[in-house]
Amino acid sequence: MNAVKQATALSLSLYHNLIKLSRYGRPKVRQTEFSMETLVTKILVQLVSCKLFHATWAIRWSLFYDLSYPFDANTIYWPQAQKFQFTKQIINDGVNWYSSKEFVASEHGGTHLDAPYHFYEQGNFVGNIPLKDLIVPLIIADVSSMVNDDPNFVLYKHHLDFMINENFGKPCLIVFKFGWSKFVNDKQKYLGLGPNNTLNFPGLSSEVMDWITTSYKNVVGVGVDTSSVDPGASKDLPVHKLGSKAGLYNIENVNLSTTIPEYGCTALVMPMKIAQGSGAPVRFVAVCPKQVQTEF
């Protein structure tokens, strides 16, 4: 309340000073009491305060969803990839607590980002992806009812007729929901593991990725709630190749176990900034407006 009172008092003071200027010109007072310079300074302070108020208001009226899985012994990796594990742990439980750990892990496991360099030699490394492409509007394309838990499902353009609208043409990140997050605690089911470590889970067709990269130039990234944007059974990974060449990043193993709005949210994509990384673990957050009650 003190801050509000101070802001109100300052606003009234600015108002009276502006009245003086408009009626009598520059008031004849000592420099230490009042000057145009101090008035401008006060106005700037007020403007900054307003921006801080609006930022605080926006946070208060937003919901935050963590769309990433934790990294631990249960994190999903492809069969041949280096799993997450601590290689060294130092713990001192003496007078002053101290803990420090070292770990190893593949770039591509758990909730992670694929940089364009992953499948395109001239593409951006993780560390080169512009920040403006990591904080963007988020679109959730829920196709889970079409998938119906079928690991052989491949998404084609005709499945997405319902999505053709003006939102799709704005700078955004599109995440496709296959309904696979519910299997994350069953690695066999989630990856569709078969003989000789073959994989089988839903994914995008090259037709869909080609459509996105040619028709919607403002799309900066594509996400999925499976382990790959390509179907698990794919051998040559054309979806990765098309997206990488077009400069898109992928987010794989997105945690969509919680339902979030399909439109209206903002994606905060925060990968580990590995300078020359082809991929990196990512903390992926959706910031969504709270539903405002309209009936009382």
Side-chain angles (χ1 to χ4, degrees):
M1 288 301 295
N2 288 336
V4 173
K5 289 180 180 179
Q6 290 174 3
T8 303
L10 181 55
S11 298
L12 289 172
S13 174
L14 287 172
Y15 172 76
H16 289 305
N17 285 331
L18 287 171
I19 291 296
K20 289 179 183 179
L21 284 175
S22 63
R23 289 182 178 177
Y24 310 112
R26 189 179 181 114
K28 296 180 179 180
V29 294
R30 294 195 306 273
Q31 180 73 16
T32 54
E33 290 181 358
F34 178 81
S35 68
M36 181 61 75
E37 289 76 11
T38 56
L39 175 59
V40 171
T41 300
K42 288 181 178 181
I43 291 174
L44 289 175
V45 169
Q46 282 289 86
L47 290 174
V48 171
S49 299
C50 287
K51 287 184 178 294
L52 290 174
F53 170 78
H54 285 298
T56 303
W57 182 88
I59 291 173
R60 179 173 294 180
W61 289 97
S62 297
L63 294 172
F64 293 79
Y65 297 92
D66 191 343
L67 306 184
S68 42
Y69 294 109
F71 282 81
D72 55 28
N74 299 314
T75 302
I76 297 286
Y77 287 86
W78 282 37
Q80 67 273 26
Q82 169 66 57
K83 310 296 188 292
F84 177 92
Q85 67 178 43
F86 288 116
T87 57
K88 185 177 181 180
Q89 301 188 58
I90 301 173
I91 297 178
N92 180 1
D93 59 355
V95 177
N96 297 310
W97 172 260
Y98 173 78
S99 175
S100 179
K101 302 179 182 182
E102 297 175 5
F103 67 87
V104 293
S106 167
E107 294 175 320
H108 302 276
T111 307
H112 69 280
L113 179 145
D114 291 345
Y117 180 72
H118 188 32
F119 275 85
Y120 183 57
E121 189 175 0
Q122 284 75 46
N124 274 334
F125 295 115
V126 173
N128 298 132
I129 297 175
L131 191 60
K132 66 179 179 61
D133 291 344
L134 299 175
I135 306 174
V136 290
L138 173 64
I139 293 177
I140 303 294
D142 187 351
V143 296
S144 57
S145 61
M146 304 178 197
V147 178
N148 197 27
D149 298 346
D150 179 6
N152 298 304
F153 181 88
V154 178
L155 188 72
Y156 289 95
K157 183 175 176 292
H158 69 84
H159 292 121
L160 299 174
D161 289 342
F162 73 98
M163 286 193 63
I164 302 177
N165 57 52
E166 61 180 8
N167 293 301
F168 212 37
K170 298 176 182 178
C172 64
L173 166 64
I174 305 171
V175 175
F176 293 94
K177 180 178 181 178
F178 292 103
W180 230 243
S181 293
K182 60 178 173 287
F183 301 127
V184 73
N185 293 320
D186 182 349
K187 183 177 179 180
Q188 190 80 21
K189 175 72 173 176
Y190 188 83
L191 291 175
L193 284 171
N196 300 316
N197 287 327
T198 57
L199 305 175
N200 195 30
F201 51 78
L204 309 179
S205 65
S206 56
E207 177 192 50
V208 165
M209 182 58 84
D210 182 64
W211 176 54
I212 291 173
T213 56
T214 57
S215 300
Y216 297 97
K217 299 291 187 179
N218 288 324
V219 175
V220 298
V222 170
V224 289
D225 62 345
T226 62
S227 278
S228 173
V229 290
D230 281 283
S234 176
K235 301 300 182 184
D236 53 355
L237 306 176
V239 178
H240 275 88
K241 293 174 182 176
L242 285 168
S244 289
K245 190 170 184 179
L248 275 64
Y249 60 80
N250 303 320
I251 304 179
E252 296 168 332
N253 297 313
V254 176
N255 182 358
L256 293 179
S257 55
T258 299
T259 301
I260 67 172
E262 295 184 5
Y263 298 99
C265 300
T266 298
L268 303 182
V269 182
M270 298 172 282
M272 181 186 294
K273 194 174 181 180
I274 303 175
Q276 295 186 332
S278 68
V282 65
R283 190 73 178 268
F284 181 21
V285 175
V287 183
C288 306
K290 288 183 179 178
Q291 295 296 320
V292 179
Q293 186 175 353
T294 57
E295 296 181 5
F296 300 92

